[in-house]
Amino acid sequence: YAALPEQLGFLGVREALFVSVELAVATGIVSTVLGALAAFAIVRYEFRYQTTLETVLISPLIYPWIVVGLSLLLFLNRLGDALGVTVQLGFFTLLLGHVMFTLPYPIRTVGASLQNYDHSLEEAAQNLGATELESYVRVTLPLIQPGLVSGFVFAFILSFNQYIVSLFLSGSELTTMPLVLFSLFYNTAPATLAAIATLLMAGILTVIGVVEYVFGISEFM
């Protein structure tokens, strides 16, 4: 642990950590926004093929991650060939892959919040002069905040720890923390890897503990 700060830059861990955090935050935001919209449509409205839509959106939960990563890579290559352009693997392809496999979690957590939500509160706000949009922003969103935060935390942690999807979609100029740790497995002292892994686990557990204490996310797991 004492020698670890000097080795982080040499091992490429610091740069990979920044990339993983940036990617995880972006994934959490995009997945939570899309998941919230999807959950709102599924829970609040009745329409044809409602069950089918929900099944399709949460289907990444049952697919092996290697299938998701390989399928996206092949799709991007075929799309590039069809459009006559070269799709560069990098941050945005990683973001696409991570959003795809994390999207079901915000859908489930936000959906759980909406199912326990009293819709008459929105009607009361509108009767008091609020527009429909204002009632959503000032009444609905604050009340379903634990579900939103839970979905974001799930997406953030899964994205930060994802190895297989990142392996297919990262390209040669971008690397994430799991990729770096795996590449160091055979040429780095086990004690160093154990120290890095312990610090990462402690950081993730701290984030979960703080969010659980503030928002009570266990109710939506």
Side-chain angles (χ1 to χ4, degrees), residues 116-151:
N116 298 323
Y117 172 69
D118 186 0
H119 304 301
S120 63
L121 297 176
E122 289 180 8
E123 299 175 359
Q126 294 174 22
N127 289 336
L128 293 174
T131 64
E132 185 174 1
L133 179 60
E134 288 176 337
S135 66
Y136 290 153
V137 174
R138 303 181 65 177
V139 178
T140 305
L141 289 181
L143 291 176
I144 66 172
Q145 187 181 49
L148 293 170
V149 175
S150 301

Side-chain angles (χ1 to χ4, degrees), residues 63-115:
Y63 296 144
W65 288 342
I66 189 172
V67 173
V68 175
L70 181 58
S71 299
L72 279 174
L73 179 60
L74 295 176
F75 170 77
L76 292 173
N77 288 334
R78 294 291 180 87
L79 180 63
D81 293 339
L83 298 177
V85 297
T86 301
V87 178
Q88 296 292 335
L89 298 180
F91 184 85
F92 291 104
T93 56
L94 273 174
L95 180 61
L96 174 63
H98 284 213
V99 168
M100 177 170 290
F101 84 87
T102 58
L103 184 61
Y105 295 91
I107 292 177
R108 302 304 297 173
T109 58
V110 176
S113 297
L114 289 172
Q115 288 175 349

Side-chain angles (χ1 to χ4, degrees), residues 4-205:
L4 193 59
E6 301 177 359
Q7 300 183 38
L8 292 181
F10 174 74
L11 297 176
V13 173
R14 186 178 293 109
E15 294 78 7
L17 180 61
F18 290 151
V19 171
S20 290
V21 171
E22 183 180 4
L23 178 63
V25 171
T27 300
I29 293 174
V30 175
S31 293
T32 303
V33 171
L34 296 179
L37 294 174
F40 195 89
I42 293 171
V43 175
R44 297 290 296 272
Y45 298 101
E46 296 288 341
F47 54 90
R48 192 177 183 184
Y49 303 122
Q50 181 179 23
T51 304
T52 303
L53 175 62
E54 183 177 8
T55 302
V56 170
L57 289 175
I58 67 173
S59 61
L61 289 174
I62 63 175
Y63 296 144
W65 288 342
I66 189 172
V67 173
V68 175
L70 181 58
S71 299
L72 279 174
L73 179 60
L74 295 176
F75 170 77
L76 292 173
N77 288 334
R78 294 291 180 87
L79 180 63
D81 293 339
L83 298 177
V85 297
T86 301
V87 178
Q88 296 292 335
L89 298 180
F91 184 85
F92 291 104
T93 56
L94 273 174
L95 180 61
L96 174 63
H98 284 213
V99 168
M100 177 170 290
F101 84 87
T102 58
L103 184 61
Y105 295 91
I107 292 177
R108 302 304 297 173
T109 58
V110 176
S113 297
L114 289 172
Q115 288 175 349
N116 298 323
Y117 172 69
D118 186 0
H119 304 301
S120 63
L121 297 176
E122 289 180 8
E123 299 175 359
Q126 294 174 22
N127 289 336
L128 293 174
T131 64
E132 185 174 1
L133 179 60
E134 288 176 337
S135 66
Y136 290 153
V137 174
R138 303 181 65 177
V139 178
T140 305
L141 289 181
L143 291 176
I144 66 172
Q145 187 181 49
L148 293 170
V149 175
S150 301
F152 176 85
V153 171
F154 273 116
F156 178 91
I157 294 175
L158 288 171
S159 174
F160 186 86
N161 293 326
Q162 179 54 237
Y163 170 77
I164 298 178
V165 175
S166 300
L167 180 64
F168 286 100
L169 302 176
S170 62
S172 59
E173 299 182 357
L174 192 69
T175 185
T176 62
M177 197 67 190
L179 295 177
V180 168
L181 290 179
F182 189 82
S183 66
L184 297 175
F185 185 78
Y186 294 104
N187 54 17
T188 305
T192 301
L193 289 177
I196 296 173
T198 302
L199 293 177
L200 290 177
M201 292 174 60
I204 292 175
L205 290 175

